[in-house]
Amino acid sequence: MVDLAFYRGKRVLVTGHTGFKGTWLCWMLSSLGAEVFGYALPPQADCLYQKGKPPVSAEVMADVRNSAELERAVTRFEPELVFHLAAHSYIDGSYDFPKDIFDINLMGTVNLLEAIRKADRRIPAVVVTSDKCYTQKLAGKPCQEADPFGAAEAYSTSKACQDLAAQCYQLSFPGMAVAAARASNTIGGGDFNRSRLIPYLLDCFIQGEPANLRNPHHVRPWQYVLDVLWGYLLLGKALAESSISGETSYNFGPAPDGFQTVGEVAEQLAEQFHNAQYRWQSTGRSSETEILRLDSGKAFRELGWHPLYSLRETLIQTADFHKRMQTGSLAQLCQEYVQQYIDCVQTGKGAS
């Protein structure tokens, strides 16, 4: 039986709490009995946080580039644990405003770690980075935590720098407890960004409109948001309890079935809707980007983490959430889905 009592009564600060993953993390923490505090930019209109706001004891709406405000928040909230999710989280913009991306992802992380370093007590921090930190030259080999970094555009490079900053503070200041969590892209209910495949398909299928898609044979990693967040929570617990030592970077990647083509994902998701339609558009010649595959063996061995939901279960859950939210309360739905996931954690089995 998994011990779920660790977070009960803990004061936890989540940066980026108004984002997609941040909102779900706040719901998971509150469901586990934590007292949650937030630091982030104001939520975007009609986002999951705005429509299904989780129980947050207090929050500061500010930029992580504001080091003084961040330091005041850490002093005010007195967290016992921090999850750092605040970031520019898309490749978009890498060639338009690269300096801003570095300022947010790298210096925003440094600002937080400095605020923690200056505190008069030990505050464990999980810094969420990305699988994009790894070099693209591994010839299909699953990335392990000790593999070399290597990036090209500003977003990926900034995430590698963010990860290195976390390692720097962990190694340079023995009194600090810092870990980096590297995960692939995540999917789940409540993501309304139509620039991503799953939200776009859901919107089209719910509205009864045909979806126009490209590159059906491109393989991508697909991962359930609550699976990833449960990994972060296990890492935070281990960090706080000092049960891990040495290199504190961890991969949280999909199970083997989570690597599927765009065409297969569209087909499986379409099965959840009546008369769902999609069509492929020719894009001419295109070269497929090499897929980064994460080796999550370290997280399994040291944290006991592994994905609980298959890709099919993830897509069913996501479709069900978006259908039910048309007539129900998003806050109640979030609470229900998190509780269902916690039940799966206790049994060690997925939703089916």
Side-chain angles (χ1 to χ4, degrees):
M1 186 70 70
V2 177
D3 177 19
L4 298 175
F6 171 80
Y7 283 97
R8 190 174 303 139
K10 287 284 191 303
R11 298 172 65 88
V12 182
L13 172 62
V14 178
T15 72
H17 71 292
T18 59
F20 169 60
K21 282 169 55 173
T23 300
W24 278 112
L25 181 58
C26 289
W27 272 111
M28 292 188 81
L29 284 164
S30 63
S31 295
L32 292 171
E35 186 177 5
V36 185
F37 301 89
Y39 184 103
L41 294 175
Q44 297 180 349
D46 297 324
C47 69
L48 179 62
Y49 187 82
Q50 191 177 74
K51 292 182 175 182
K53 186 174 180 179
V56 174
S57 295
E59 59 190 357
V60 172
M61 297 300 182
D63 199 309
V64 289
R65 289 173 288 187
N66 188 334
S67 58
E69 192 65 54
L70 198 48
E71 190 171 334
R72 281 192 290 271
V74 170
T75 300
R76 171 189 167 192
F77 296 146
E78 298 183 323
E80 298 169 81
L81 191 63
V82 175
F83 290 93
H84 180 48
L85 278 67
H88 177 92
S89 55
Y90 312 111
I91 292 179
D92 296 352
S94 289
Y95 300 101
D96 298 318
F97 41 88
K99 179 181 182 300
D100 288 342
I101 293 175
F102 278 100
D103 284 344
I104 294 166
N105 289 354
L106 174 56
M107 294 313 299
T109 299
V110 170
N111 288 340
L112 174 66
L113 294 174
E114 274 293 285
I116 292 172
R117 185 179 70 86
K118 294 176 181 178
D120 59 357
R121 65 196 185 287
R122 179 178 182 269
I123 307 174
V126 174
V127 176
V128 174
T129 64
S130 171
D131 62 349
K132 304 301 186 295
C133 65
Y134 290 110
T135 180
Q136 293 276 342
K137 299 178 181 179
L138 294 176
K141 169 185 172 293
C143 300
Q144 296 180 328
E145 286 80 359
D147 282 330
F149 286 180
E153 34 65 39
Y155 167 73
S156 299
T157 306
S158 73
K159 298 305 283 187
C161 291
Q162 182 186 33
D163 200 297
L164 288 169
Q167 294 180 48
C168 170
Y169 275 79
Q170 168 71 13
L171 294 172
S172 299
F173 304 102
M176 294 186 67
V178 185
R182 305 167 187 164
S184 304
N185 293 333
T186 58
I187 59 176
D191 185 356
F192 305 124
N193 187 338
R194 279 176 58 100
S195 68
R196 293 195 283 267
L197 177 66
I198 302 301
Y200 170 68
L201 285 174
L202 288 167
D203 193 46
C204 290
F205 293 165
I206 289 172
Q207 299 298 326
E209 301 171 355
N212 297 309
L213 302 174
R214 297 168 298 184
N215 305 322
H217 303 298
H218 282 201
V219 176
R220 293 290 180 262
W222 315 93
Q223 195 167 8
Y224 188 40
V225 62
L226 298 187
D227 269 335
V228 175
L229 296 178
W230 178 244
Y232 298 169
L233 291 172
L234 288 175
L235 179 54
K237 177 178 181 291
L239 197 64
E241 294 179 338
S242 300
S243 61
I244 54 175
S245 60
E247 172 58 52
T248 56
S249 299
Y250 289 81
N251 290 337
F252 298 97
D257 78 311
F259 293 92
Q260 294 289 347
T261 65
V262 171
E264 176 63 25
V265 168
E267 181 179 342
Q268 288 192 34
L269 193 59
E271 292 173 359
Q272 308 306 315
F273 296 87
H274 181 64
N275 290 331
Q277 301 177 51
Y278 57 92
R279 56 198 177 202
W280 302 106
Q281 294 183 327
S282 174
T283 57
R285 296 182 61 185
S286 65
S287 58
E288 180 158 359
T289 303
E290 184 176 347
I291 303 305
L292 287 172
R293 299 176 184 266
L294 293 183
D295 182 335
S296 304
K298 181 180 177 183
F300 174 75
R301 293 188 303 272
E302 298 186 12
L303 304 176
W305 177 85
H306 61 89
L308 293 178
Y309 279 47
S310 67
L311 175 59
R312 178 170 291 278
E313 290 170 335
T314 297
L315 293 173
I316 291 173
Q317 289 285 104
T318 303
D320 182 68
F321 184 96
H322 281 255
K323 285 187 277 189
R324 293 179 60 191
M325 77 178 192
Q326 305 301 313
T327 56
S329 161
L330 256 68
Q332 291 180 357
L333 275 179
C334 289
Q335 190 172 26
E336 176 185 331
Y337 278 62
V338 166
Q339 187 56 56
Q340 182 184 55
Y341 187 84
I342 291 173
D343 292 342
C344 290
V345 166
Q346 292 182 297
T347 63
K349 299 178 181 178
S352 60

